[in-house]
Amino acid sequence: MMVKTNNNLIQMSDSALIGQIGIFIKGKRTDKNLTQAQLAQASGLNRWTISQIENGESINISSLIQILRALDSLYVLSEFEYKEVISPLEYAKLKKKQKQRVRNQSRKTPDNEDLGW
């Protein structure tokens, strides 16, 4: 299989990016020795839709997810996971606010102290 790679995705047009998705899907499908009809059945779509996607036609996100699930390739969506990141400065401020030591709140009274009774 001929693999096209383009590390400069920012400069690619929308239609070129859609074409890359089609190439990816076709490559994964052929790697798994699946026909378009088999992939269509596994994904719950029709063969014509698979063919159109592989030829660079637009795809809706729901269909993409169905196809990726059928190809066992949902891992490509892991880049969409958002992780909140705290800056080192904010982290240092939070650490500074934490208690530095713990003191025992209950004081023992000495045996010879007058309790006022």
Side-chain angles (χ1 to χ4, degrees):
M1 176 180 102
M2 186 173 133
V3 178
K4 288 185 181 179
T5 58
N6 188 339
N7 293 329
N8 202 358
L9 297 175
I10 294 171
Q11 293 181 353
M12 292 177 72
S13 67
D14 292 350
S15 59
L17 289 168
I18 292 168
Q20 285 296 114
I21 293 170
I23 291 168
F24 175 83
I25 290 171
K26 184 175 184 175
K28 284 294 188 177
R29 177 182 62 77
T30 55
D31 287 349
K32 292 185 175 284
N33 293 321
L34 295 173
T35 65
Q36 287 181 343
Q38 290 170 325
L39 178 57
Q41 183 178 14
S43 63
L45 301 170
N46 60 44
R47 194 203 62 75
W48 182 83
T49 302
I50 302 296
S51 174
Q52 292 298 302
I53 292 166
E54 289 183 358
N55 289 322
E57 296 295 321
S58 288
I59 179 174
N60 67 46
I61 197 77
S62 189
S63 297
L64 177 62
I65 291 170
Q66 289 173 273
I67 292 168
L68 292 175
R69 188 179 314 274
L71 291 172
D72 195 29
S73 296
L74 284 172
Y75 65 87
V76 299
L77 299 177
S78 65
E79 289 297 316
F80 289 102
E81 183 179 343
Y82 179 76
K83 295 178 183 172
E84 193 170 333
V85 179
I86 187 168
S87 73
L89 184 59
E90 287 297 318
Y91 180 73
K93 288 178 183 177
L94 286 174
K95 290 299 275 184
K96 191 174 183 179
K97 287 181 181 179
Q98 289 179 343
K99 287 185 176 183
Q100 297 298 318
R101 53 177 118 168
V102 178
R103 292 187 178 157
N104 191 353
Q105 296 297 327
S106 63
R107 283 184 43 191
K108 288 189 176 182
T109 58
D111 291 338
N112 60 356
E113 186 179 321
D114 182 25
L115 297 178
W117 294 20

